[in-house]
Amino acid sequence: MATLGSQEKGVLGPGSVSAAFQSLVNRSIAALETINFVGQQDDYSTYLEMNRLRLRGLDSIETVLKNRSHWFFQLRSSFLDQDQLFKFDLSRLDRYILLPIDYGWVNNRDCYFISHYWRSASHPDPDGTDLRMFQQDLVSDTLWSYVWVDWTCAPQVDGDGRRTPLEQHYFEKMLQCMQMLVRDCAFEWRFPAWEPRAWILYEVAENALSHYSCTVTEDNRLFLCHVKEMVRFGVHSVLNKYKYRCTNASDMDLVTGKLEMLVILAKIFPKDFALRRTLLDYLNKPGSTVSGDWVGG
């Protein structure tokens, strides 16, 4: 399969940004109308119309980043046709749809969350090794339509290790509420061999502690054992015992905080998964999307 090149259909050229953005909006509205909504069915018509209006009210990709009210999801066809994970790229809006960051739209029939190791700081999967395994796993499942991969669906740093101020604004909020993705999407993973990776431990914990059951495989077994151990003995004890770390050391406090919240709720409400999910959705959902709360540099 050929990787989409810079001259193929859908690439933005001078003067084509508004057309590509309008196509993204139209595609996203169409997705809302066919998605398996899992919220309150009595409110479906109201929510659908409200979110149609929100999408139609977006006038640029900058507004999407500023408002921080929508996820970028990669289309199934784009995911399955690539040879290497695409880096987040706003000049290729044809790869994406937008889904509301709100309960009910992202669901485990239409959407997958990809949990994976980063093999290098410059690219998580430079040889496409993990991607090929994901594609083999998912190609036979004909029900899903969208996938969320951090490298593809969240703004990444450039060669100088920076994002634009607006991309950083969006990225920081997505980092705060990505728990909703892990809980609500179908969970796909491939871990080559166990390593003490804190982000992976968090993603496995979020998935396991938010559902009544989870699949155990050889590559996630140790992570699940450590999740159980955290609930019994505490987060810091397990992180220190197994020397968990983040590729970006500065992420460690954030990951630790996310794990602490999961463990606290698991102890307070050990059998009430629905209540835990409701509380976490409330805590993780972005607050005000008023554009005035962003101050650019």
Side-chain angles (χ1 to χ4, degrees):
M1 292 178 288
T3 302
L4 295 175
S6 61
Q7 300 302 314
E8 293 185 36
K9 184 178 180 180
V11 180
L12 303 185
S16 64
V17 174
S18 60
F21 181 75
Q22 188 58 55
S23 178
L24 171 67
V25 169
N26 293 341
R27 192 164 56 248
S28 301
I29 291 173
L32 290 184
E33 294 169 348
T34 59
I35 210 161
N36 291 287
F37 182 72
V38 294
Q40 293 292 330
Q41 293 300 317
D42 291 346
D43 299 326
Y44 171 71
S45 296
T46 300
Y47 285 147
L48 177 60
E49 185 56 27
M50 179 177 67
N51 281 285
R52 281 188 188 129
L53 291 173
R54 284 178 176 172
L55 283 165
R56 291 188 182 117
L58 298 171
D59 57 8
S60 68
I61 201 66
E62 289 78 16
T63 306
V64 176
L65 297 178
K66 188 181 293 187
N67 285 359
R68 305 190 296 191
S69 57
H70 291 84
W71 302 110
F72 287 88
F73 268 82
Q74 187 180 11
L75 296 168
R76 175 192 179 98
S77 57
S78 174
F79 181 79
L80 293 178
D81 288 346
Q82 61 191 342
D83 290 330
Q84 187 184 59
L85 289 173
F86 289 130
K87 187 177 182 180
F88 182 79
D89 186 354
L90 293 178
S91 73
R92 290 301 307 265
L93 297 182
D94 57 303
R95 296 171 177 164
Y96 299 103
I97 64 159
L98 301 172
L99 288 180
I101 304 177
D102 200 357
Y103 181 72
W105 302 104
V106 174
N107 66 85
N108 62 13
R109 290 183 62 188
D110 296 294
C111 308
Y112 268 100
F113 175 92
I114 303 293
S115 181
H116 62 100
Y117 287 1
W118 276 54
R119 294 178 180 267
S120 74
S122 60
H123 195 289
D125 184 29
D127 298 325
T129 302
D130 295 332
L131 172 63
R132 286 188 290 275
M133 291 190 290
F134 291 136
Q135 290 171 331
Q136 290 168 8
D137 288 347
L138 299 183
V139 69
S140 60
D141 181 352
T142 60
L143 297 179
W144 68 277
S145 300
Y146 316 112
V147 64
W148 197 93
V149 188
D150 52 4
W151 179 251
T152 304
C153 299
Q156 302 299 319
V157 297
D158 60 19
D160 296 323
R162 299 175 180 174
R163 300 178 183 88
T164 68
L166 195 51
E167 287 177 343
Q168 185 65 27
H169 167 78
Y170 179 85
F171 178 81
E172 288 174 356
K173 181 56 69 173
M174 296 307 98
L175 207 58
Q176 293 174 28
C177 58
M178 67 170 286
Q179 296 95 313
M180 298 175 71
L181 285 175
V182 186
R183 287 194 295 275
D184 295 339
C185 291
F187 192 68
E188 165 69 10
W189 69 91
R190 283 285 191 153
F191 308 137
W194 182 83
E195 295 179 20
R197 297 187 177 232
W199 271 113
I200 299 298
L201 177 66
Y202 156 69
E203 291 167 5
V204 171
E206 185 76 59
N207 180 258
L209 295 177
S210 301
H211 297 85
Y212 289 99
S213 63
C214 63
T215 302
V216 180
T217 59
E218 284 305 312
D219 58 347
N220 74 357
R221 188 182 304 276
L222 271 177
F223 289 112
L224 288 169
C225 288
H226 295 167
V227 171
K228 293 179 181 178
E229 198 170 332
M230 283 191 297
V231 175
R232 290 187 63 192
F233 302 112
V235 171
H236 286 277
S237 172
V238 172
L239 295 180
N240 293 333
K241 179 179 178 180
Y242 299 105
K243 297 180 171 53
Y244 273 96
R245 65 186 186 277
C246 291
T247 302
N248 296 318
S250 60
D251 288 351
M252 199 63 202
D253 287 343
L254 176 65
V255 174
T256 302
K258 291 177 183 291
L259 288 169
E260 291 278 15
M261 180 61 71
L262 287 172
V263 168
I264 288 170
L265 290 178
K267 289 181 176 180
I268 297 174
F269 308 107
K271 296 182 180 180
D272 198 334
F273 290 87
L275 179 57
R276 275 153 47 186
R277 287 173 62 95
T278 299
L279 290 171
L280 287 166
D281 280 346
Y282 177 79
L283 291 170
N284 302 148
K285 182 179 174 181
S288 171
T289 57
V290 177
S291 60
D293 66 355
W294 177 75
V295 180

